[in-house]
Amino acid sequence: DTAVSQTPKYLVTQMGNDKSIKCEQNLGHDTMYWYKQDSKKFLKIMFSYNNKELIINETVPNRFSPKSPDKAHLNLHINSLELGDSAVYFCASSLSGDQPQHFGDGTRLSIL
Amino acid sequence: AQSVTQLDSHVSVSEGTPVLLRCNYSSSYSPSLFWYVQHPNKGLQLLLKYTSAATLVKGINGFEAEFKKSETSFHLTKPSAHMSDAAEYFCVVRQYGGSQGNLIFGKGTKLSVKP
């Protein structure tokens, strides 16, 4: 029943590793997003995909790469993890770019 | 460029008393504004949205917000706070231009509700 689901919920790993976070939505939405929430609760857009095309690419390090195998999935791959990558990452989706966004429960990434 | 400013980082009320969470916006266009709520260890849930229809917007859980262009404000209110309202609240504006659909978040207001 979950509309936007992310896995894993928690991810603890060491600096330098490569990891992926998966996101799936069953709402039939056309646009999906990734946000980063820092330790002060500030949320900032990282990427969005519309029909498998990247339409927003904010100034995030190229160690972060979104991958969308189909319209219902937008995974986030991170290479060479750094301490500053520790944050909560939220996936979201919307019917189109001007419709309200529905959020997943977040993935808490901790870098040791 | 669009932006939002949440005037209080923390608001504390007693159960049963009114809630007021303040937000001011800046936008070159007629803005689309939202309030989202985030409960601990949860994602964000849409409370309500304003998209140039009625200026008084009613949302879920008894919340409402009034769009006031003259004051560039979009404050969130509720007549009577409930313990379950304790959460982080975000005022959000949609960005226009090259990043259509991009949401710009305020820094959040933590609402505490005392018994």
Side-chain angles (χ1 to χ4, degrees), chain A residues 74-110:
Chain A
L74 182 64
N75 303 324
L76 183 64
H77 190 75
I78 316 169
N79 290 326
S80 302
L81 281 157
E82 299 178 358
L83 288 174
D85 297 334
S86 294
V88 183
Y89 292 84
F90 286 98
C91 178
S93 72
S94 65
L95 189 59
S96 62
D98 61 347
Q99 294 297 311
Q101 295 178 18
H102 297 253
F103 285 77
D105 285 346
T107 296
R108 185 174 297 276
L109 174 62
S110 299

Tab-separated table of all heavy atoms in Angstrom, chain A residues 74-110:
chain	number	residue	atom	x	y	z
A	74	LEU	N	13.367	5.444	-9.080
A	74	LEU	CA	14.488	6.379	-9.204
A	74	LEU	C	15.458	6.060	-8.071
A	74	LEU	O	15.212	6.395	-6.916
A	74	LEU	CB	14.035	7.837	-9.124
A	74	LEU	CG	15.165	8.858	-9.309
A	74	LEU	CD1	15.746	8.747	-10.715
A	74	LEU	CD2	14.676	10.275	-9.032
A	75	ASN	N	16.549	5.395	-8.434
A	75	ASN	CA	17.538	4.988	-7.436
A	75	ASN	C	18.653	6.025	-7.376
A	75	ASN	O	18.939	6.719	-8.364
A	75	ASN	CB	18.101	3.610	-7.796
A	75	ASN	CG	16.999	2.565	-7.903
A	75	ASN	OD1	16.020	2.594	-7.154
A	75	ASN	ND2	17.135	1.644	-8.852
A	76	LEU	N	19.282	6.113	-6.205
A	76	LEU	CA	20.371	7.071	-6.003
A	76	LEU	C	21.636	6.290	-5.695
A	76	LEU	O	21.696	5.558	-4.709
A	76	LEU	CB	20.034	8.015	-4.846
A	76	LEU	CG	21.052	9.114	-4.559
A	76	LEU	CD1	21.160	10.076	-5.743
A	76	LEU	CD2	20.672	9.874	-3.289
A	77	HIS	N	22.632	6.444	-6.557
A	77	HIS	CA	23.909	5.764	-6.336
A	77	HIS	C	24.945	6.784	-5.904
A	77	HIS	O	25.032	7.872	-6.495
A	77	HIS	CB	24.361	5.059	-7.616
A	77	HIS	CG	25.529	4.168	-7.394
A	77	HIS	ND1	25.423	2.943	-6.767
A	77	HIS	CD2	26.837	4.337	-7.680
A	77	HIS	CE1	26.619	2.388	-6.686
A	77	HIS	NE2	27.491	3.204	-7.229
A	78	ILE	N	25.726	6.426	-4.893
A	78	ILE	CA	26.725	7.347	-4.364
A	78	ILE	C	28.084	6.647	-4.341
A	78	ILE	O	28.232	5.577	-3.751
A	78	ILE	CB	26.386	7.810	-2.930
A	78	ILE	CG1	24.899	8.174	-2.794
A	78	ILE	CG2	27.259	9.004	-2.548
A	78	ILE	CD1	24.432	8.379	-1.379
A	79	ASN	N	29.051	7.245	-5.007
A	79	ASN	CA	30.418	6.707	-5.036
A	79	ASN	C	31.288	7.407	-4.001
A	79	ASN	O	31.071	8.577	-3.664
A	79	ASN	CB	31.052	6.910	-6.412
A	79	ASN	CG	30.416	6.034	-7.473
A	79	ASN	OD1	29.997	4.910	-7.196
A	79	ASN	ND2	30.333	6.546	-8.679
A	80	SER	N	32.293	6.683	-3.517
A	80	SER	CA	33.328	7.268	-2.646
A	80	SER	C	32.723	8.128	-1.544
A	80	SER	O	32.988	9.332	-1.450
A	80	SER	CB	34.296	8.114	-3.487
A	80	SER	OG	34.883	7.333	-4.495
A	81	LEU	N	31.921	7.522	-0.717
A	81	LEU	CA	31.200	8.256	0.314
A	81	LEU	C	32.135	9.057	1.217
A	81	LEU	O	33.235	8.613	1.568
A	81	LEU	CB	30.371	7.282	1.150
A	81	LEU	CG	29.067	6.863	0.479
A	81	LEU	CD1	28.564	5.543	1.025
A	81	LEU	CD2	28.021	7.954	0.632
A	82	GLU	N	31.677	10.258	1.584
A	82	GLU	CA	32.441	11.157	2.456
A	82	GLU	C	31.628	11.437	3.717
A	82	GLU	O	30.404	11.277	3.739
A	82	GLU	CB	32.728	12.469	1.723
A	82	GLU	CG	33.550	12.283	0.458
A	82	GLU	CD	33.777	13.594	-0.281
A	82	GLU	OE1	33.253	14.642	0.171
A	82	GLU	OE2	34.498	13.567	-1.307
A	83	LEU	N	32.327	11.919	4.742
A	83	LEU	CA	31.660	12.194	6.017
A	83	LEU	C	30.490	13.161	5.838
A	83	LEU	O	29.441	13.020	6.467
A	83	LEU	CB	32.651	12.768	7.027
A	83	LEU	CG	33.687	11.796	7.594
A	83	LEU	CD1	34.684	12.537	8.477
A	83	LEU	CD2	33.009	10.670	8.376
A	84	GLY	N	30.665	14.129	4.959
A	84	GLY	CA	29.636	15.145	4.740
A	84	GLY	C	28.395	14.632	4.043
A	84	GLY	O	27.401	15.354	3.928
A	85	ASP	N	28.448	13.397	3.591
A	85	ASP	CA	27.266	12.812	2.947
A	85	ASP	C	26.264	12.307	3.966
A	85	ASP	O	25.134	11.949	3.605
A	85	ASP	CB	27.676	11.655	2.034
A	85	ASP	CG	28.575	12.102	0.900
A	85	ASP	OD1	28.499	13.288	0.503
A	85	ASP	OD2	29.373	11.276	0.413
A	86	SER	N	26.645	12.267	5.220
A	86	SER	CA	25.729	11.834	6.275
A	86	SER	C	24.529	12.768	6.316
A	86	SER	O	24.667	13.980	6.472
A	86	SER	CB	26.430	11.843	7.637
A	86	SER	OG	27.465	10.881	7.681
A	87	ALA	N	23.353	12.194	6.159
A	87	ALA	CA	22.127	12.994	6.079
A	87	ALA	C	20.957	12.025	5.946
A	87	ALA	O	21.141	10.811	5.899
A	87	ALA	CB	22.159	13.928	4.869
A	88	VAL	N	19.764	12.601	5.870
A	88	VAL	CA	18.587	11.799	5.530
A	88	VAL	C	18.225	12.127	4.089
A	88	VAL	O	18.094	13.304	3.728
A	88	VAL	CB	17.400	12.084	6.457
A	88	VAL	CG1	16.227	11.167	6.085
A	88	VAL	CG2	17.790	11.871	7.915
A	89	TYR	N	18.063	11.117	3.277
A	89	TYR	CA	17.750	11.301	1.861
A	89	TYR	C	16.299	10.889	1.628
A	89	TYR	O	15.883	9.791	2.007
A	89	TYR	CB	18.692	10.478	0.986
A	89	TYR	CG	20.107	10.992	1.046
A	89	TYR	CD1	20.972	10.608	2.084
A	89	TYR	CD2	20.587	11.902	0.105
A	89	TYR	CE1	22.257	11.111	2.172
A	89	TYR	CE2	21.868	12.403	0.180
A	89	TYR	CZ	22.703	12.002	1.215
A	89	TYR	OH	23.981	12.507	1.306
A	90	PHE	N	15.535	11.803	1.020
A	90	PHE	CA	14.120	11.554	0.767
A	90	PHE	C	13.861	11.448	-0.727
A	90	PHE	O	14.323	12.280	-1.512
A	90	PHE	CB	13.254	12.690	1.324
A	90	PHE	CG	13.127	12.680	2.816
A	90	PHE	CD1	13.936	13.498	3.582
A	90	PHE	CD2	12.216	11.850	3.443
A	90	PHE	CE1	13.832	13.494	4.969
A	90	PHE	CE2	12.105	11.838	4.824
A	90	PHE	CZ	12.921	12.665	5.593
A	91	CYS	N	13.092	10.445	-1.068
A	91	CYS	CA	12.572	10.306	-2.415
A	91	CYS	C	11.156	10.872	-2.433
A	91	CYS	O	10.432	10.791	-1.421
A	91	CYS	CB	12.567	8.824	-2.801
A	91	CYS	SG	11.897	8.473	-4.420
A	92	ALA	N	10.740	11.438	-3.550
A	92	ALA	CA	9.382	11.959	-3.694
A	92	ALA	C	8.923	11.751	-5.132
A	92	ALA	O	9.735	11.516	-6.031
A	92	ALA	CB	9.326	13.440	-3.325
A	93	SER	N	7.615	11.854	-5.330
A	93	SER	CA	7.086	11.764	-6.689
A	93	SER	C	5.896	12.692	-6.827
A	93	SER	O	5.262	13.067	-5.834
A	93	SER	CB	6.672	10.325	-7.033
A	93	SER	OG	5.501	9.952	-6.334
A	94	SER	N	5.585	13.072	-8.067
A	94	SER	CA	4.407	13.887	-8.340
A	94	SER	C	3.867	13.508	-9.712
A	94	SER	O	4.595	12.991	-10.568
A	94	SER	CB	4.721	15.385	-8.280
A	94	SER	OG	5.624	15.752	-9.302
A	95	LEU	N	2.600	13.809	-9.907
A	95	LEU	CA	1.950	13.462	-11.171
A	95	LEU	C	2.618	14.195	-12.338
A	95	LEU	O	2.834	13.639	-13.399
A	95	LEU	CB	0.460	13.806	-11.087
A	95	LEU	CG	-0.412	13.326	-12.242
A	95	LEU	CD1	-0.335	11.802	-12.363
A	95	LEU	CD2	-1.853	13.761	-12.039
A	96	SER	N	2.947	15.440	-12.084
A	96	SER	CA	3.704	16.234	-13.049
A	96	SER	C	4.455	17.288	-12.267
A	96	SER	O	4.332	17.373	-11.053
A	96	SER	CB	2.777	16.877	-14.083
A	96	SER	OG	1.879	17.751	-13.442
A	97	GLY	N	5.251	18.105	-12.966
A	97	GLY	CA	6.102	19.054	-12.249
A	97	GLY	C	5.354	20.081	-11.432
A	97	GLY	O	5.912	20.641	-10.498
A	98	ASP	N	4.085	20.336	-11.746
A	98	ASP	CA	3.365	21.374	-11.016
A	98	ASP	C	2.338	20.808	-10.041
A	98	ASP	O	1.477	21.520	-9.551
A	98	ASP	CB	2.682	22.332	-12.003
A	98	ASP	CG	1.672	21.600	-12.875
A	98	ASP	OD1	1.680	20.366	-12.893
A	98	ASP	OD2	0.883	22.283	-13.561
A	99	GLN	N	2.410	19.540	-9.748
A	99	GLN	CA	1.503	18.900	-8.803
A	99	GLN	C	2.215	18.650	-7.475
A	99	GLN	O	3.441	18.571	-7.426
A	99	GLN	CB	0.995	17.569	-9.366
A	99	GLN	CG	0.121	17.735	-10.597
A	99	GLN	CD	-1.145	18.505	-10.301
A	99	GLN	OE1	-1.857	18.218	-9.338
A	99	GLN	NE2	-1.426	19.515	-11.099
A	100	PRO	N	1.447	18.528	-6.377
A	100	PRO	CA	2.074	18.281	-5.068
A	100	PRO	C	2.909	17.006	-5.072
A	100	PRO	O	2.607	16.048	-5.775
A	100	PRO	CB	0.872	18.140	-4.132
A	100	PRO	CG	-0.222	18.884	-4.795
A	100	PRO	CD	-0.010	18.692	-6.266
A	101	GLN	N	3.958	17.021	-4.274
A	101	GLN	CA	4.868	15.891	-4.204
A	101	GLN	C	4.545	15.007	-2.993
A	101	GLN	O	4.220	15.506	-1.930
A	101	GLN	CB	6.306	16.394	-4.131
A	101	GLN	CG	6.710	17.133	-5.410
A	101	GLN	CD	8.104	17.694	-5.365
A	101	GLN	OE1	8.930	17.295	-4.546
A	101	GLN	NE2	8.385	18.626	-6.267
A	102	HIS	N	4.669	13.710	-3.210
A	102	HIS	CA	4.466	12.716	-2.157
A	102	HIS	C	5.826	12.153	-1.776
A	102	HIS	O	6.592	11.741	-2.651
A	102	HIS	CB	3.554	11.601	-2.648
A	102	HIS	CG	2.179	12.070	-3.004
A	102	HIS	ND1	1.064	11.800	-2.223
A	102	HIS	CD2	1.723	12.811	-4.050
A	102	HIS	CE1	0.006	12.353	-2.792
A	102	HIS	NE2	0.366	12.962	-3.882
A	103	PHE	N	6.106	12.109	-0.479
A	103	PHE	CA	7.428	11.744	-0.005
A	103	PHE	C	7.469	10.345	0.588
A	103	PHE	O	6.499	9.880	1.197
A	103	PHE	CB	7.900	12.739	1.063
A	103	PHE	CG	8.332	14.059	0.501
A	103	PHE	CD1	7.400	14.999	0.101
A	103	PHE	CD2	9.678	14.364	0.370
A	103	PHE	CE1	7.794	16.221	-0.425
A	103	PHE	CE2	10.091	15.585	-0.147
A	103	PHE	CZ	9.140	16.514	-0.548
A	104	GLY	N	8.625	9.706	0.441
A	104	GLY	CA	8.906	8.477	1.171
A	104	GLY	C	9.319	8.812	2.600
A	104	GLY	O	9.402	9.979	2.982
A	105	ASP	N	9.586	7.755	3.393
A	105	ASP	CA	9.919	7.949	4.801
A	105	ASP	C	11.388	8.295	5.045
A	105	ASP	O	11.789	8.537	6.178
A	105	ASP	CB	9.554	6.702	5.610
A	105	ASP	CG	8.057	6.589	5.839
A	105	ASP	OD1	7.347	7.589	5.606
A	105	ASP	OD2	7.594	5.506	6.229
A	106	GLY	N	12.184	8.291	3.994
A	106	GLY	CA	13.572	8.700	4.149
A	106	GLY	C	14.533	7.553	4.382
A	106	GLY	O	14.145	6.484	4.871
A	107	THR	N	15.786	7.786	4.016
A	107	THR	CA	16.889	6.848	4.296
A	107	THR	C	17.937	7.610	5.077
A	107	THR	O	18.470	8.614	4.589
A	107	THR	CB	17.500	6.306	2.994
A	107	THR	OG1	16.524	5.531	2.300
A	107	THR	CG2	18.726	5.451	3.294
A	108	ARG	N	18.205	7.144	6.277
A	108	ARG	CA	19.196	7.826	7.123
A	108	ARG	C	20.561	7.224	6.849
A	108	ARG	O	20.820	6.063	7.182
A	108	ARG	CB	18.832	7.677	8.593
A	108	ARG	CG	19.742	8.454	9.536
A	108	ARG	CD	19.227	8.381	10.974
A	108	ARG	NE	17.922	9.010	11.120
A	108	ARG	CZ	17.726	10.312	11.297
A	108	ARG	NH1	18.754	11.133	11.371
A	108	ARG	NH2	16.510	10.795	11.431
A	109	LEU	N	21.440	7.996	6.230
A	109	LEU	CA	22.780	7.544	5.853
A	109	LEU	C	23.800	8.076	6.859
A	109	LEU	O	23.870	9.286	7.091
A	109	LEU	CB	23.125	8.037	4.444
A	109	LEU	CG	24.535	7.787	3.931
A	109	LEU	CD1	24.817	6.286	3.839
A	109	LEU	CD2	24.739	8.451	2.578
A	110	SER	N	24.539	7.179	7.449
A	110	SER	CA	25.572	7.557	8.413
A	110	SER	C	26.912	7.044	7.927
A	110	SER	O	27.059	5.844	7.641
A	110	SER	CB	25.262	6.963	9.792
A	110	SER	OG	24.029	7.447	10.270
